[in-house]
Amino acid sequence: MSWIASERHAQGEKPHRHNYYVVIGVTSGSGTHDVDFQQYDVKPGSWWFLSPGQAHQLHMDGPHEGWVLSFAPDFFCLSDSNREFLINSGLFQNLLDFKPFFIAPEQLDLLEPYLQSIQAEYLTRRPYREEMLRGWLQLFLGQAARSFGGQVPSVHETSRAVCMVRQFQDLVEREFSRKTKVAEYAEFLHVTPSHLNDSVKKVTGQPASEHIKQRVILEAKRRAYFGNTSAKEIAFDLGFEDEAHFSKYFKANTGQTFSEYRKTIRHQYA
């Protein structure tokens, strides 16, 4: 984190996003972290698992230390089993209930050896470097899922419903602009719409339809801040028949028109 603070200071002056996964672990210092335009407190022991596309801005007050680990989806997900591992870890893609994880300082030695090994391997140019990095990364993510205990259920302890819900969340992340009905996701997951809705609500507290709706709204919010795409273009990209339908949908779920929200969020992070 100290290297990023000195070498990439300008990057953190405004919300930004990446097309890769980012893990941030704060070992000392405090501040705030804005993720998808929601603010969270940062304290020692806070760990953040960001998925591609999430907007974030980290503000640290004074000196701080920690780890930042980035990896591209294509680097890790070479096979379906790798992708399933990433999904089942429960560390990423919890967009409807995003939160930082926390590990007590005395437990940090459960994670740091893996990060130190990744760092050491990254700095070498020995044969099988990528394979070694991929292996250490999987070990780190597995240990992270274990270390956070009740915050992330272990892969081996999760019920079939939890695994299905995680698959649903991953599918929503990839298909929300093309699939807008619960039945479409249920068909892909080989279950009935009512079973999918009940399972998702039981695990997350919200029905499947709410996850789809909030992902669409989140994408509209991200586009309101990044770039200058018109509301009409965004409506088309998100699968709406026309701008009027999109505007009504956006206001019903945020309390503001799209243009009002865009003005507000850009002023907030100016």
Side-chain angles (χ1 to χ4, degrees), residues 105-178:
E106 59 268 22
Q107 292 183 294
L108 187 60
D109 60 353
L110 295 174
L111 296 179
E112 280 201 323
Y114 298 101
L115 293 166
Q116 290 165 349
S117 295
I118 291 171
Q119 186 178 48
E121 187 65 42
Y122 182 80
L123 294 174
T124 70
R125 289 292 184 271
R126 291 181 292 183
Y128 308 110
R129 176 171 173 261
E130 286 197 7
E131 288 76 9
M132 293 292 291
L133 285 170
R134 199 173 292 112
W136 282 117
L137 175 58
Q138 183 161 352
L139 288 170
F140 165 73
L141 293 174
Q143 184 59 56
R146 281 183 176 178
S147 297
F148 296 123
Q151 300 172 70
V152 181
S154 165
V155 173
H156 299 292
E157 297 171 355
T158 54
S159 67
R160 180 179 296 181
V162 172
C163 289
M164 182 180 68
V165 170
R166 288 179 180 167
Q167 289 179 326
F168 165 73
Q169 291 172 324
D170 181 65
L171 188 60
V172 170
E173 180 62 25
R174 290 183 282 145
E175 300 288 342
F176 68 90
S177 64
R178 292 182 291 272

Side-chain angles (χ1 to χ4, degrees), residues 116-260:
Q116 290 165 349
S117 295
I118 291 171
Q119 186 178 48
E121 187 65 42
Y122 182 80
L123 294 174
T124 70
R125 289 292 184 271
R126 291 181 292 183
Y128 308 110
R129 176 171 173 261
E130 286 197 7
E131 288 76 9
M132 293 292 291
L133 285 170
R134 199 173 292 112
W136 282 117
L137 175 58
Q138 183 161 352
L139 288 170
F140 165 73
L141 293 174
Q143 184 59 56
R146 281 183 176 178
S147 297
F148 296 123
Q151 300 172 70
V152 181
S154 165
V155 173
H156 299 292
E157 297 171 355
T158 54
S159 67
R160 180 179 296 181
V162 172
C163 289
M164 182 180 68
V165 170
R166 288 179 180 167
Q167 289 179 326
F168 165 73
Q169 291 172 324
D170 181 65
L171 188 60
V172 170
E173 180 62 25
R174 290 183 282 145
E175 300 288 342
F176 68 90
S177 64
R178 292 182 291 272
K179 292 181 171 62
T180 59
K181 296 180 174 60
V182 174
E184 295 176 290
Y185 292 92
E187 181 181 5
F188 185 90
L189 295 169
H190 307 294
V191 297
T192 65
S194 59
H195 179 65
L196 178 60
N197 249 328
D198 291 345
S199 298
V200 173
K201 189 170 183 177
K202 182 179 180 180
V203 173
T204 69
Q206 299 285 352
S209 57
E210 186 67 17
H211 284 255
I212 300 167
K213 179 176 69 177
Q214 290 302 324
R215 183 60 185 89
V216 172
I217 292 297
L218 175 57
E219 188 65 22
K221 287 181 175 180
R222 289 176 180 174
R223 296 194 187 195
Y225 181 80
F226 295 104
N228 293 303
T229 311
S230 69
K232 183 177 181 179
E233 291 175 287
I234 292 172
F236 178 79
D237 289 344
L238 295 181
F240 290 87
E241 295 177 358
D242 52 51
E243 183 181 348
H245 184 201
F246 167 69
S247 298
K248 183 178 179 180
Y249 186 90
F250 188 88
K251 186 171 184 178
N253 287 284
T254 65
Q256 293 180 290
T257 65
F258 181 78
S259 58
E260 289 171 341

Side-chain angles (χ1 to χ4, degrees), residues 9-22:
H9 175 72
Q11 186 184 65
E13 292 180 352
K14 289 187 177 182
H16 56 282
R17 52 185 176 176
H18 310 285
N19 60 357
Y20 47 82
Y21 292 95
V22 179

Side-chain angles (χ1 to χ4, degrees), residues 35-53:
V35 181
D36 282 327
F37 314 109
Q38 296 292 320
Q39 191 171 92
Y40 305 85
D41 290 331
V42 175
K43 59 183 180 180
S46 301
W47 286 80
W48 311 79
F49 292 79
L50 304 173
S51 300

